[in-house]
Amino acid sequence: MNLEKVLFGFFLILALTLNVGFVIGDIENPTHHSVVEFFFLVVVNLVATGLKLGDRTQIGALLLATSLVADLQLIAATGIWAFAAHVAEPGVTAEDIVHIVSLATGALVANIISVTVFVAETLMLRR
């Protein structure tokens, strides 16, 4: 068992599960989408991206690209949430949550692709 592969898989799958947990719920209801869970989602995605930086294979490049897409969408969602909560007058509205969850759903698709590629690569390994 390779500890590096275990940590890599752990963060990939944790990012996917946190992403699913955040996206599930009524898209217009802010109480269904926890800011704490969103924070951990962004942090775990950034850690997973950092773990992918050293892989120079073609599959490693694909995994890095999917992770960068997820990070970009989550950072955009973070910007919307921060602006709505601290700058905009009415605070976080249902429309803001719709935008945030939509971007998080895009990140979810990227994370699903990333985990699928990781599992496919793992299954193709010969002992």
Side-chain angles (χ1 to χ4, degrees):
M1 181 170 56
N2 185 343
L3 183 60
E4 182 181 335
K5 293 281 186 187
V6 171
L7 284 176
F8 185 68
F10 170 78
F11 278 102
L12 278 181
I13 294 170
L14 183 61
L16 176 64
T17 56
L18 285 172
N19 207 334
V20 169
F22 178 76
V23 168
I24 289 178
D26 184 11
I27 194 168
E28 294 180 357
N29 189 344
T31 60
H32 290 181
H33 308 284
S34 167
V35 69
V36 174
E37 188 173 14
F38 185 74
F39 170 76
F40 284 118
L41 170 62
V42 172
V43 169
V44 168
N45 264 287
L46 291 174
V47 170
T49 302
L51 292 173
K52 295 173 186 173
L53 288 176
D55 193 354
R56 294 182 180 260
T57 63
Q58 184 64 32
I59 289 179
L62 178 62
L63 288 173
L64 181 60
T66 58
S67 191
L68 289 173
V69 167
D71 289 344
L72 181 64
Q73 293 192 346
L74 291 174
I75 289 170
T78 302
I80 291 172
W81 202 325
F83 183 81
H86 301 292
V87 178
E89 184 57 34
V92 179
T93 64
E95 184 179 332
D96 296 327
I97 291 297
V98 168
H99 293 300
I100 292 164
V101 172
S102 295
L103 286 167
T105 303
L108 174 64
V109 171
N111 281 331
I112 288 172
I113 292 170
S114 184
V115 169
T116 302
V117 169
F118 178 72
V119 169
E121 181 188 22
T122 303
L123 293 176
M124 292 176 59
L125 287 177
R126 295 183 185 160
R127 293 187 172 223

